[in-house]
PDB file of all heavy atoms in Angstrom:
ATOM      1  N   ILE A 162     -50.498-199.303  77.871  1.00 98.00           N
ATOM      2  CA  ILE A 162     -49.823-200.203  76.873  1.00 98.00           C
ATOM      3  C   ILE A 162     -50.260-199.977  75.455  1.00 98.00           C
ATOM      4  O   ILE A 162     -49.684-199.831  74.582  1.00 98.00           O
ATOM      5  CB  ILE A 162     -49.905-201.672  77.294  1.00 98.00           C
ATOM      6  CG1 ILE A 162     -49.166-201.890  78.629  1.00 98.00           C
ATOM      7  CG2 ILE A 162     -49.515-202.577  76.293  1.00 98.00           C
ATOM      8  CD1 ILE A 162     -49.331-203.279  79.177  1.00 98.00           C
ATOM      9  N   VAL A 163     -51.667-199.784  75.412  1.00 97.00           N
ATOM     10  CA  VAL A 163     -52.313-199.584  74.160  1.00 97.00           C
ATOM     11  C   VAL A 163     -51.915-198.236  73.519  1.00 97.00           C
ATOM     12  O   VAL A 163     -51.589-198.129  72.364  1.00 97.00           O
ATOM     13  CB  VAL A 163     -53.887-199.415  74.254  1.00 97.00           C
ATOM     14  CG1 VAL A 163     -54.569-198.985  73.104  1.00 97.00           C
ATOM     15  CG2 VAL A 163     -54.430-200.950  74.667  1.00 97.00           C
ATOM     16  N   LEU A 164     -51.802-197.231  74.338  1.00 97.00           N
ATOM     17  CA  LEU A 164     -51.264-195.901  73.801  1.00 97.00           C
ATOM     18  C   LEU A 164     -49.909-196.030  73.423  1.00 97.00           C
ATOM     19  O   LEU A 164     -49.439-195.408  72.474  1.00 97.00           O
ATOM     20  CB  LEU A 164     -51.314-194.932  75.043  1.00 97.00           C
ATOM     21  CG  LEU A 164     -52.654-194.356  75.226  1.00 97.00           C
ATOM     22  CD1 LEU A 164     -52.510-193.243  76.427  1.00 97.00           C
ATOM     23  CD2 LEU A 164     -53.173-193.425  74.050  1.00 97.00           C
ATOM     24  N   ALA A 165     -48.992-196.874  74.091  1.00 97.00           N
ATOM     25  CA  ALA A 165     -47.644-197.050  73.654  1.00 97.00           C
ATOM     26  C   ALA A 165     -47.472-197.684  72.365  1.00 97.00           C
ATOM     27  O   ALA A 165     -46.715-197.254  71.642  1.00 97.00           O
ATOM     28  CB  ALA A 165     -46.874-197.728  74.894  1.00 97.00           C
ATOM     29  N   LEU A 166     -48.335-198.822  72.218  1.00 95.00           N
ATOM     30  CA  LEU A 166     -48.232-199.607  70.985  1.00 95.00           C
ATOM     31  C   LEU A 166     -48.686-198.715  69.779  1.00 95.00           C
ATOM     32  O   LEU A 166     -48.145-198.689  68.745  1.00 95.00           O
ATOM     33  CB  LEU A 166     -48.969-200.952  71.144  1.00 95.00           C
ATOM     34  CG  LEU A 166     -48.437-201.889  72.031  1.00 95.00           C
ATOM     35  CD1 LEU A 166     -49.434-203.046  72.155  1.00 95.00           C
ATOM     36  CD2 LEU A 166     -47.136-202.376  71.478  1.00 95.00           C
ATOM     37  N   ALA A 167     -49.765-197.998  70.071  1.00 94.00           N
ATOM     38  CA  ALA A 167     -50.355-197.125  68.963  1.00 94.00           C
ATOM     39  C   ALA A 167     -49.341-196.085  68.582  1.00 94.00           C
ATOM     40  O   ALA A 167     -49.202-195.778  67.396  1.00 94.00           O
ATOM     41  CB  ALA A 167     -51.574-196.567  69.354  1.00 94.00           C
ATOM     42  N   SER A 168     -48.582-195.566  69.512  1.00 94.00           N
ATOM     43  CA  SER A 168     -47.529-194.546  69.305  1.00 94.00           C
ATOM     44  C   SER A 168     -46.409-195.062  68.357  1.00 94.00           C
ATOM     45  O   SER A 168     -45.970-194.511  67.471  1.00 94.00           O
ATOM     46  CB  SER A 168     -46.997-194.019  70.649  1.00 94.00           C
ATOM     47  OG  SER A 168     -48.070-193.385  71.321  1.00 94.00           O
ATOM     48  N   LEU A 169     -45.862-196.375  68.905  1.00 92.00           N
ATOM     49  CA  LEU A 169     -44.873-196.964  68.180  1.00 92.00           C
ATOM     50  C   LEU A 169     -45.199-197.211  66.639  1.00 92.00           C
ATOM     51  O   LEU A 169     -44.427-197.051  65.763  1.00 92.00           O
ATOM     52  CB  LEU A 169     -44.386-198.257  68.788  1.00 92.00           C
ATOM     53  CG  LEU A 169     -43.722-198.001  70.263  1.00 92.00           C
ATOM     54  CD1 LEU A 169     -43.488-199.354  70.814  1.00 92.00           C
ATOM     55  CD2 LEU A 169     -42.343-197.350  70.092  1.00 92.00           C
ATOM     56  N   LEU A 170     -46.371-197.679  66.479  1.00 91.00           N
ATOM     57  CA  LEU A 170     -46.777-198.125  64.998  1.00 91.00           C
ATOM     58  C   LEU A 170     -46.951-196.839  64.261  1.00 91.00           C
ATOM     59  O   LEU A 170     -46.539-196.779  63.101  1.00 91.00           O
ATOM     60  CB  LEU A 170     -48.170-198.761  65.066  1.00 91.00           C
ATOM     61  CG  LEU A 170     -48.135-200.216  65.669  1.00 91.00           C
ATOM     62  CD1 LEU A 170     -49.505-200.674  65.876  1.00 91.00           C
ATOM     63  CD2 LEU A 170     -47.357-201.130  64.574  1.00 91.00           C
ATOM     64  N   ASN A 171     -47.373-195.671  64.841  1.00 89.00           N
ATOM     65  CA  ASN A 171     -47.419-194.387  63.986  1.00 89.00           C
ATOM     66  C   ASN A 171     -46.149-193.919  63.786  1.00 89.00           C
ATOM     67  O   ASN A 171     -45.882-193.257  62.754  1.00 89.00           O
ATOM     68  CB  ASN A 171     -48.380-193.467  65.006  1.00 89.00           C
ATOM     69  CG  ASN A 171     -49.664-193.522  64.662  1.00 89.00           C
ATOM     70  OD1 ASN A 171     -50.159-192.762  63.761  1.00 89.00           O
ATOM     71  ND2 ASN A 171     -50.557-194.201  65.476  1.00 89.00           N
ATOM     72  N   ILE A 172     -45.126-193.961  64.744  1.00 88.00           N
ATOM     73  CA  ILE A 172     -43.872-193.413  64.587  1.00 88.00           C
ATOM     74  C   ILE A 172     -43.068-194.228  63.565  1.00 88.00           C
ATOM     75  O   ILE A 172     -42.295-193.702  62.725  1.00 88.00           O
ATOM     76  CB  ILE A 172     -43.103-193.421  65.832  1.00 88.00           C
ATOM     77  CG1 ILE A 172     -43.607-192.387  66.897  1.00 88.00           C
ATOM     78  CG2 ILE A 172     -41.558-193.143  65.682  1.00 88.00           C
ATOM     79  CD1 ILE A 172     -43.028-192.364  68.193  1.00 88.00           C
ATOM     80  N   PHE A 173     -43.378-195.455  63.326  1.00 81.00           N
ATOM     81  CA  PHE A 173     -42.531-196.360  62.488  1.00 81.00           C
ATOM     82  C   PHE A 173     -42.769-195.915  61.065  1.00 81.00           C
ATOM     83  O   PHE A 173     -41.767-195.711  60.301  1.00 81.00           O
ATOM     84  CB  PHE A 173     -43.114-197.788  62.632  1.00 81.00           C
ATOM     85  CG  PHE A 173     -42.259-198.783  61.752  1.00 81.00           C
ATOM     86  CD1 PHE A 173     -41.028-199.205  62.161  1.00 81.00           C
ATOM     87  CD2 PHE A 173     -42.806-199.325  60.621  1.00 81.00           C
ATOM     88  CE1 PHE A 173     -40.189-200.059  61.328  1.00 81.00           C
ATOM     89  CE2 PHE A 173     -42.067-200.240  59.822  1.00 81.00           C
ATOM     90  CZ  PHE A 173     -40.679-200.566  60.165  1.00 81.00           C
TER      91      PHE A 173
END
Side-chain angles (χ1 to χ4, degrees):
I162 292 171
V163 169
L164 282 177
L166 290 175
S168 300
L169 287 173
L170 288 168
N171 268 276
I172 290 171
F173 181 74

